[in-house]
């Protein structure tokens, strides 16, 4: 029997609802249950693919090629369960499907309304594509009270009636603000938020209260009383030093125990060995390194969420604490080498991540040149690989006008718009006139690695699969030219048409990839590219 857990949020956003859902998923797994996690997003975009990363954070790409909310990254990293297209939906997607059906005449002349047509589509999404999972956890984006989330909450109200308390559970994540002037924790915002939820017919079963201070038992009792919840079901989620200790902290507060109690499940002892050893490795590093991330969206670190996590995983694997220096690449758009020296001389490694558009591109190229010449470990990802190719072609390949068609049509186009590629044995075609949304090369694709390469040593394999999200590619016709300039192409698409990995042999660690390895890294299974990058960075410059 599949049980449904709905996770809503109140008071303010950014309370870590996504993390709490992921953590609960992993705690249920540690008791032997099979879980699946989903996110319902109230905004009107059809998916987050076209949204600015500095507004909405990273776009997380699934194996099956969906562009999804970054919380799906938390779900995968904490549970290891591979997310799918069917795990994230937006109001925009629901409406566009309902309207497409209306145009087709599927509703046989009915008047289309939020209830039942939109709510039915939401319910169908929640219940779709489930096999033998013990629990499906559905997180509702946004905060109760938002206009956009009303249809989702109404759909949950209906599902709750269908499934009953034994088949469903509603968790509400709220905030207990600490008022410094009064020296007091306040429960009123939580009370109001629960009232708001009750006003749409939902009574939470469990409250997860985020707080920066310990909460006395009397306050817990008070929250329970005012919010119509048992005091034991008021779970205190106090701030902790790192996200890797959250599973242990929430377990200690009884989060998973109360969930099992709610569903009348036997209170098995969870096996938390995995989280104990990760927390220990993270909390007791043997040294410290600094990685510079030179990118375009550095003002919001959520833009590179999975990247920051994957680097931390590399640190866990090497018992190193990794500090990240986020640098806007535009500061390097200068002839002045002193600025590069000032920022990059004392780093252990350079990472140039994915990105879009011309702004800041020259700064990335300059940073890559600095790392190549100074033998600083370098990892390039997607756009980072494209910029590494331009740097080599310009500096060592006698092509000073090497360019990407993403920046215009001039120069030697070593990076060009991908007009066709093979996906699952069929050819995908694109032109520059296509829509922006959902038209990139998206999702998992196989890559063959040359045996005599750093990449094959890192992966310990010559056939891999990694996730993609890009429109442009390195032009294979320049292969010889690049290789003469010392940039070895060590990974290709199976048909040999698309370069996937480039590396240098005259450098301790210089590798760049067209895909996004950060999307598959997990704290209990760090991605080998990040493990080896951090290891090389530790050898280059490490503090004790
Ligand atoms: N803008 C580049 C492309 O579309 C790189 C994309 C990325 O880094 N994800 O190919």
């Amino acid at each position: 029997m599949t049980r449904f857990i709905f996770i809503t949020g109140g008071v303010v956003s950014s309370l870590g609802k996504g993390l709490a859902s992921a953590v609960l998923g992993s705690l249920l797994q540690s008791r032997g249950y099979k879980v699946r996690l989903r996110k319902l997003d109230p905004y009107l975009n059809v998916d987050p693919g076209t949204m600015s990363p500095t507004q909405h954070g990273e776009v997380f790409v699934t194996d099956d090629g969906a562009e999804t909310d970054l919380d799906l990254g938390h779900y995968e990293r904490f549970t290891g369960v591979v997310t799918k297209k069917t795990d994230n939906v937006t109001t925009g997607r629901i409406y566009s499907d309902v309207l497409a059906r209306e145009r087709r005449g599927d509703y046989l002349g009915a008047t289309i309304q939020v209830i039942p047509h939109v709510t039915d589509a939401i319910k169908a999404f929640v219940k779709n594509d489930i096999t033998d999972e013990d629990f499906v956890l559905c997180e509702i984006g946004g905060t109760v009270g938002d206009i956009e989330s009303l249809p989702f909450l109404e759909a949950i109200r209906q599902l709750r009636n269908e499934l009953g308390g034994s088949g469903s559970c509603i968790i509400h994540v709220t905030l207990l603000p600490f008022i410094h002037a009064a020296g007091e924790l306040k429960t009123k915002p939580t009370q109001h938020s629960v009232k708001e939820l009750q006003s749409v017919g939902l009574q939470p079963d469990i409250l997860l209260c985020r707080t920066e201070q310990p909460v006395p038992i009397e306050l817990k009792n008070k929250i329970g009383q005012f919010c119509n919840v048992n005091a034991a079901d008021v779970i205190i989620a106090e701030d902790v030093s790192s996200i890797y200790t959250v599973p242990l902290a929430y377990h200690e507060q009884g989060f998973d125990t109360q969930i099992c109690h709610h569903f009348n499940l036997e209170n098995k002892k969870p096996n938390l060995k995995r989280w104990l050893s990760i927390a220990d490795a993270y909390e007791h590093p043997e040294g410290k390194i600094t990685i510079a991330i030179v990118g375009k969206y550095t003002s919001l670190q959520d833009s590179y969420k999975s990247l920051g996590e994957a680097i931390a995983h590399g640190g866990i694997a090497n018992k190193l604490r990794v500090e990240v220096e986020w640098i806007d690449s535009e500061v390097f758009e200068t002839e002045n080498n002193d600025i590069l020296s000032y920022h990059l001389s004392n780093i252990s490694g350079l990472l140039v991540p994915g990105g879009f558009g011309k702004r800041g591109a020259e700064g990335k190229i300059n940073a890559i040149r600095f790392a190549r010449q100074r033998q600083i470990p370098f990892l390039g990802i997607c756009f980072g690989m494209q910029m590494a190719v331009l740097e080599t072609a310009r500096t060592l390949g006698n092509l000073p006008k090497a360019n990407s068609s993403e920046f215009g049509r001039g120069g030697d186009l070593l990076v060009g718009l991908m007009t066709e590629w093979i996906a699952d044995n069929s050819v995908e075609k694109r032109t520059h006139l296509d829509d922006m949304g959902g038209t990139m090369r998206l999702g998992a694709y196989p890559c063959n690695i040359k045996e005599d390469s750093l990449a094959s040593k890192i992966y310990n394999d010559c056939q891999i699969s990694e996730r993609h999200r890009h429109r442009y590619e390195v032009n294979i016709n320049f292969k010889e030219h690049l290789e003469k300039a010392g940039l070895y192409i060590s990974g290709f698409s199976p048909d040999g048409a698309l370069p996937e990995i480039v590396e240098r042999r005259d450098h301790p660690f210089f590798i760049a990839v067209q895909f996004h390895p950060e999307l598959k890294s997990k704290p209990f299974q760090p991605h080998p590219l990040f493990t080896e990058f951090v290891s090389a960075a530790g050898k280059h410059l490490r503090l004790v």
Side-chain angles (χ1 to χ4, degrees), residues 61-74:
V61 180
T62 59
D63 267 346
D64 61 2
E67 296 180 281
T68 71
D69 187 78
L70 59 72
D71 278 330
L72 273 77
H74 284 309

Side-chain angles (χ1 to χ4, degrees), residues 39 47 53 70 118 233 243 298 300-301 311 391 486 508 520 533:
K39 173 115 195 248
D47 64 38
L70 59 72
V118 169
D233 290 326
I243 62 167
T298 47
L300 179 72
Q301 283 159 24
I311 290 173
E391 192 280 311
K520 296 220 296 196
F533 174 52

Side-chain angles (χ1 to χ4, degrees), residues 280-295:
D280 183 58
Y282 186 80
E283 302 275 306
H284 303 102
E286 288 164 4
K288 196 182 101 176
I289 64 165
T290 305
I291 300 286
I293 296 187
V294 174

Side-chain angles (χ1 to χ4, degrees), residues 277-344:
S277 73
I278 290 168
D280 183 58
Y282 186 80
E283 302 275 306
H284 303 102
E286 288 164 4
K288 196 182 101 176
I289 64 165
T290 305
I291 300 286
I293 296 187
V294 174
K296 180 168 162 184
Y297 316 114
T298 47
S299 59
L300 179 72
Q301 283 159 24
D302 267 1
S303 319
Y304 301 111
K305 189 74 201 167
S306 298
L307 197 62
E309 294 301 318
I311 290 173
H313 304 161
I316 290 172
N318 287 285
K319 289 214 156 217
L320 289 172
R321 168 62 53 101
V322 189
E323 303 265 308
V324 173
E325 200 137 316
W326 301 91
I327 306 174
D328 185 331
S329 58
E330 279 185 295
V331 303
F332 296 142
E333 304 221 309
T334 155
E335 296 294 308
N336 186 347
N337 224 28
D338 291 350
I339 298 196
L340 284 155
S341 265
Y342 173 79
H343 285 282
L344 301 180

Side-chain angles (χ1 to χ4, degrees), residues 53 293-297 303-304 307 351-357 364 379-386 469 513-516 518:
I293 296 187
V294 174
K296 180 168 162 184
Y297 316 114
S303 319
Y304 301 111
L307 197 62
L351 197 153
V352 176
F356 292 84
K364 292 177 193 174
L379 176 60
I381 292 180
C382 206
F383 197 70
M385 165 165 145
Q386 297 169 359
R469 181 173 187 252
V513 295
Q514 185 58 75
F515 42 80
H516 289 274
E518 72 274 22

Side-chain angles (χ1 to χ4, degrees), residues 353-357 381-384 386 404 406-407 415-416 418 440 468-473 514 516:
F356 292 84
I381 292 180
C382 206
F383 197 70
Q386 297 169 359
S404 164
E406 186 167 3
F407 312 149
V415 181
M418 208 176 332
M440 281 186 262
H468 290 248
R469 181 173 187 252
H470 58 110
R471 254 187 206 99
Y472 299 84
E473 63 171 315
Q514 185 58 75
H516 289 274

